[in-house]
């Protein structure tokens, strides 16, 4: 009579468990707005852990290979990064899967390129070319404000920065202008009616307009109404809007189209006028 304690463990596949987070990303599971071809291989670059969420970022590899066409393969992306050519928010990043996200500045000194990551009206990332002066700051949305255990007031931004001793007027949902060289904040753009906002998530991602109304729903999602330059109104959650300026004066230059969404009929008419159809 063999004792069951000494029998080998069952060799079925169910006894192994996944250990930790996934290290790979399949092409079909990659976010839609990266615009990767379905048949371009099995894998996609899996963004590293970093200041932006995995589904709301653009890895450096995709910027270099799919957008700027400076590399043809993943290996070349790695070589470009390891030669310390890529700066994101003023810091050299040698990880080709580093997640760059909304409002980040991407700088390639060798080719003299400077871009800011913004959204187009279809919710896709745009590498918006900027001048040297504009590349010296970025806008950060304040996600939470609190006092640490050692009584230091801090504000946490959408890109994971912790601003210590912020201006006491800073509230959640406001936007602050942060100097990239020093990491210090200068101006505050408060979340108020008439502020110029860009929508960063949801169906209206990439649209720009003025705040006209805020519906507070305690215990649920507060809804804001935004009106764009053409007079179109649309609603979204308060957490999806990012203040980019006051009135009609954005603090960052906007990509082509100025954040005005066109209907598919308007797009078609314009394509016909250009002779594309």
């Amino acid at each position: 009579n063999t004792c069951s304690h000494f029998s080998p463990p069952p060799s079925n596949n169910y006894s192994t468990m996944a250990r930790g987070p996934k290290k790979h990303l399949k092409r079909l599971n990659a976010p839609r707005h990266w615009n990767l071809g379905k048949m371009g291989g099995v894998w996609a670059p899996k963004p590293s852990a970093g200041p932006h969420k995995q589904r709301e970022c653009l890895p450096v590899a995709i910027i270099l290979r799919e957008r700027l066409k400076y590399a043809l393969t993943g290996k070349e992306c790695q070589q470009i990064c390891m030669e310390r050519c890529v700066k994101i928010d003023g810091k050299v990043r040698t990880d080709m899967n580093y997640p760059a996200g909304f409002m980040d500045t991407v700088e390639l000194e060798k080719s003299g390129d400077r871009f800011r990551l913004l959204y187009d009206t279809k919710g896709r990332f745009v590498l918006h070319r900027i001048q040297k002066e504009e590349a010296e700051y970025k806008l950060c949305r304040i996600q939470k404000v609190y006092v640490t255990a050692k009584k230091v007031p801090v504000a946490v931004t959408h890109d994971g920065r912790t601003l210590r001793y912020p201006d006491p007027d800073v509230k959640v949902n406001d936007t602050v202008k942060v100097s990239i060289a020093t990491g210090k904040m200068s101006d505050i753009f408060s979340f108020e009616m008439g502020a110029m906002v860009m929508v960063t998530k949801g169906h209206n991602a990439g649209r720009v307009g003025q705040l006209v109304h805020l519906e507070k729903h305690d215990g649920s999602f507060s809804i804001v109404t935004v009106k764009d330059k053409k007079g179109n109104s649309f609603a979204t959650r308060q957490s999806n809007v990012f203040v980019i300026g006051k009135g009609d004066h954005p603090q960052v230059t906007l990509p082509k189209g100025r954040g005005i969404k066109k209907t598919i009929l308007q797009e078609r008419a314009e394509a016909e006028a250009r002779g594309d159809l």
Side-chain angles (χ1 to χ4, degrees), residues 179-190:
S179 154
I180 281 175
T182 61
K184 299 275 188 292
M185 55 172 271
S186 51
D187 304 349
I188 303 174
F189 303 99
S190 52

Side-chain angles (χ1 to χ4, degrees), residues 142 145 155 166-172 174-176 185 188:
I142 301 293
V145 178
D167 187 313
D169 299 339
V170 168
K171 302 277 183 289
V172 177
D174 290 355
T175 295
V176 294
M185 55 172 271
I188 303 174

Side-chain angles (χ1 to χ4, degrees), residues 101-127:
F102 184 63
M103 280 288 166
D104 286 2
T105 62
V106 180
E107 190 173 359
L108 302 161
E109 278 179 350
K110 261 192 180 163
S111 58
D113 287 332
R114 288 181 197 83
F115 304 99
R116 191 185 297 285
L117 276 175
L118 297 168
Y119 291 110
D120 66 3
T121 49
K122 297 197 186 295
R124 302 175 297 212
F125 273 117
V126 166
L127 284 166

Side-chain angles (χ1 to χ4, degrees), residues 8 22 24 28 30 78 107 145 154 156 170 181 198 204 242 244 248 255:
K22 291 196 175 79
H24 292 70
L28 293 179
Q78 194 178 9
E107 190 173 359
V145 178
V154 292
V156 182
V170 168
M198 188 178 222
N204 292 311
F242 191 114
I244 56 169
D248 279 347

Side-chain angles (χ1 to χ4, degrees), residues 131-149:
Q131 299 301 321
K132 190 166 197 275
E133 299 72 51
E134 203 192 322
E136 288 170 2
Y137 65 88
K138 67 182 291 194
L139 299 181
C140 295
R141 183 177 193 271
I142 301 293
Q143 300 291 60
K144 57 183 173 188
V145 178
Y146 64 100
V147 180
T148 63

